[in-house]
Amino acid sequence: MRGRDALLGRVEAGLSASGARFVQVLCGLGGSGKTTVALELVSRRLARAERVWWVDARQETTLEAGLRAVARQAGASEDELRSGDTVDLLWSCLAQYEQPWLLVVDNADDPAVLDGPGKLSEGTGWIRLPAAGCGSVLVTTRDSTRQTWGGACVLHPVHPLTGEDVTDAARILCDHAGEAAGSWEDARHLAQRLGGLPLALRLAGTYLADANAVPTPYREPDAPVDFRSYQAALDRGIEHVDRDNVIAQTWAMSLKLLEQRGLPLARPLLRLIATFADAPLPYTLLLTPGTLADAGELAQLDGPGVWSLLTALAGLGLVDLQPTTGYKVLPALRVHPLVRDASLDHAALSAAVQAVHSAAFAEETGIPEEPEYWEHWALLQPHALDLFHRVASSEPPDPTIVSEAATAATLAARHLHVKGLYGQARSEYEAVLAHERDVLGDTHPDILTTRHDLAGVLRDLGEVERARSEYEAVLAHRRDVLGDTHPRTLATQSSLANLRQPRAAY
């Protein structure tokens, strides 16, 4: 058990509180280690000779059978179980049980199963607030929706081991993999790539331990044998390291649960989200009915429909809806890297490009040069550029989709330029320009716009002569096609005139 001391302390305090005790709920993404934490708490109680019951809540039948067994061991007779209300009888017996006890309800991923004949959130379901005394209740679940659990439950999020906890994640890798798997630094890099998810850390470590136990002549060709080669295999695709589909199946179970709740579009929405860049996603700009208008089956969603899917995905830990802060205007979401790997669907690439293109030209997004919209573009920019490079390198490229991606990428490059990131802006402009020349030719209006913008970056990089050459070429084409008084012609003429003036020193 690594990296969970603070969490264990909080849950232990809740389980041992004096007076009436709240139900303690461990909630989080599948594979985050909720059951492992529960097992650690159980082992501490067994060491103190306390009574522990463990009931599996994945199925309603196994839950009821398990709780009836608990009632029987807590003092209920067979006649009482046959004739009485089992739920009331269970809690009556537990209230009178003299020995300290802990009831663990594991894998309650569908809290509706816990309603029984009553309602969990109202305190009339299978799981209730323990009476003042010596008993306590611990539940593990993927569902972190507060409304589901009601006021009698205290939620304890179980997060992956990231950030400052990555050292503990790397230690878990080394615990399972052994010394032959590579250096400490490589273990840290792989732990970060796995997003600190305990299930993935354990699988990776045991995989490498098993691989190194096989004599070299008998190993599979190109099989990963150390942290570095395992990460390289993962970067080629999660299927290269998750051959038994354990990791992917973990989240498939969550999506199946949402489908059972009447949310079949949660799966395609997650696939679309996974298609964007690995960066904070401004969902109020990119995931709206307007931007999803060309996203296939997602086009039927209205605003409340999109929000219900996002909150449902967040409730099971598949996405993290990050709140706004004092200096942030737009909310954003993040996706665990392995959820992204398992959900990535290249068929959703065109829908992602169309969503970015739509958002880039939406009135509420604003233009990159206006300071009041800089935050919008700081969030949009990585997605616009990442999608452009991916569709431009796809085989065969779709000219319409690549053109939309290029247009959005040009706006993103303008944001880089206005923020003073001249080198990055130049690289992006040149990448867009290379595509446009292949597809559109040298005199297309879009090419002239990109060349005009590139000239501005060259000027700011000090490459005045090349900037002048670009401006002059663009000006000549615009005069021929648009005339001398067209706004775009005048804009290029003004930029060229300013280039000839000495620049003010700042």
Side-chain angles (χ1 to χ4, degrees):
M1 177 69 65
R2 295 189 182 277
R4 300 302 192 194
D5 290 346
L7 174 62
L8 286 165
R10 290 192 297 271
V11 181
E12 186 70 70
L15 293 172
S16 305
S18 59
R21 297 174 183 174
F22 290 95
V23 175
Q24 307 299 309
V25 179
L26 294 168
C27 54
L29 179 68
S32 60
K34 303 178 293 294
T35 297
T36 304
V37 173
L39 285 168
E40 173 62 23
L41 293 162
V42 164
S43 70
R44 296 180 181 185
R45 274 161 172 68
L46 292 176
R48 298 197 294 264
E50 296 183 12
R51 186 61 188 264
V52 176
W53 292 288
W54 187 287
V55 178
D56 191 294
R58 277 175 285 197
Q59 302 291 334
E60 189 170 1
T61 53
T62 57
L63 172 70
E64 182 171 355
L67 291 175
R68 286 174 69 87
V70 172
R72 188 179 299 111
Q73 294 173 26
S77 68
E78 290 298 332
D79 288 342
E80 288 175 317
L81 286 169
R82 280 194 297 267
S83 61
D85 184 325
T86 304
V87 180
D88 289 339
L89 179 61
L90 166 68
W91 289 100
S92 175
C93 291
L94 288 175
Q96 299 173 53
Y97 200 77
E98 295 181 358
Q99 181 185 352
W101 57 267
L102 170 65
L103 172 61
V104 180
V105 180
D106 192 31
N107 291 314
D109 298 328
D110 184 2
V113 172
L114 303 181
D115 283 339
K119 188 74 173 175
L120 170 68
S121 59
E122 297 173 1
T124 58
W126 276 113
I127 302 304
R128 299 180 180 180
L129 186 68
C134 53
S136 49
V137 181
L138 176 66
V139 179
T140 73
T141 180
R142 301 181 188 207
D143 196 323
S144 59
T145 310
R146 292 192 177 276
Q147 298 91 319
T148 299
W149 296 97
C153 299
V154 176
L155 302 187
H156 299 276
V158 183
H159 298 294
L161 298 168
T162 56
E164 295 180 357
D165 294 327
V166 73
T167 297
D168 292 307
R171 288 195 179 114
I172 292 173
L173 267 178
C174 294
D175 289 341
H176 290 287
E179 296 180 358
S183 69
W184 171 249
E185 195 60 31
D186 286 344
R188 284 180 60 88
H189 286 310
L190 179 55
Q192 288 176 323
R193 178 63 180 83
L194 293 171
L197 190 73
L199 171 64
L201 297 169
R202 178 177 62 80
L203 291 175
T206 54
Y207 177 100
L208 293 174
D210 290 344
N212 281 297
V214 177
T216 303
Y218 306 118
R219 292 175 184 168
E220 293 183 27
D222 302 322
V225 293
D226 56 31
F227 299 128
R228 187 171 295 185
S229 59
Y230 190 97
Q231 181 167 342
L234 177 59
D235 289 341
R236 292 196 301 272
I238 193 171
E239 66 276 5
H240 293 288
V241 295
D242 188 25
R243 295 179 181 176
D244 293 329
N245 213 31
V246 175
I247 296 174
Q249 188 61 30
T250 298
W251 299 305
M253 290 168 59
S254 296
L255 290 170
K256 184 177 180 181
L257 180 59
L258 292 179
E259 289 171 355
Q260 292 170 349
R261 294 179 181 178
L263 298 171
L265 295 181
R267 189 184 298 271
L269 181 61
L270 182 61
R271 287 174 180 162
L272 176 61
I273 290 170
T275 308
F276 291 102
D278 185 11
L281 184 74
Y283 55 87
T284 58
L285 290 181
L286 286 173
L287 302 177
T288 68
T291 59
L292 297 177
D294 296 313
E297 57 192 328
L298 297 176
Q300 63 186 277
L301 293 170
D302 57 10
V306 176
W307 182 241
S308 69
L309 291 177
L310 288 174
T311 53
L313 290 168
L316 295 184
L318 293 169
V319 302
D320 178 18
L321 297 179
Q322 301 175 333
T324 57
T325 61
Y327 63 92
K328 286 175 61 179
V329 177
L330 290 179
L333 66 79
R334 293 301 303 256
V335 185
H336 189 280
L338 292 184
V339 175
R340 179 184 302 282
D341 290 339
S343 306
L344 186 60
D345 182 358
H346 293 291
L349 199 56
S350 61
V353 169
Q354 290 165 335
V356 166
H357 184 270
S358 177
F361 288 93
E363 183 179 353
E364 58 268 23
T365 302
I367 61 174
E369 289 77 15
E370 290 291 336
E372 65 182 295
Y373 297 114
W374 281 354
E375 187 209 350
H376 295 191
W377 281 100
L379 290 168
L380 276 179
Q381 164 253 313
H383 301 288
L385 297 177
D386 177 75
L387 287 169
F388 166 70
H389 289 292
R390 285 159 59 195
V391 298
S393 61
S394 62
E395 292 294 340
D398 182 325
T400 302
I401 294 300
V402 179
S403 178
E404 289 189 355
T407 304
T410 301
L411 291 171
R414 281 167 53 185
H415 170 73
L416 294 174
H417 185 185
V418 78
K419 296 296 289 182
L421 302 172
Y422 303 140
Q424 294 180 39
R426 175 183 183 168
S427 296
E428 300 301 340
Y429 280 135
E430 289 176 341
V432 171
L433 196 56
H435 155 72
E436 289 178 334
R437 279 188 166 131
D438 287 343
V439 177
L440 305 175
D442 280 336
T443 59
H444 190 278
D446 288 349
I447 267 213
L448 297 179
T449 297
T450 306
R451 292 180 68 183
H452 175 97
D453 293 339
L454 174 61
V457 174
L458 293 171
R459 174 199 64 208
D460 291 334
L461 284 169
E463 298 184 31
V464 177
E465 290 308 314
R466 187 177 168 196
R468 178 180 290 110
S469 177
E470 287 290 346
Y471 277 137
E472 288 173 346
V474 171
L475 182 60
H477 285 303
R478 284 182 166 172
R479 277 176 170 162
D480 288 344
V481 176
L482 303 176
D484 288 339
T485 59
H486 191 279
R488 291 187 179 182
T489 304
L490 296 175
T492 304
Q493 185 173 330
S494 173
S495 295
L496 181 60
N498 289 336
L499 189 66
R500 293 169 177 156
Q501 299 297 323
R503 301 201 72 195
Y506 291 95

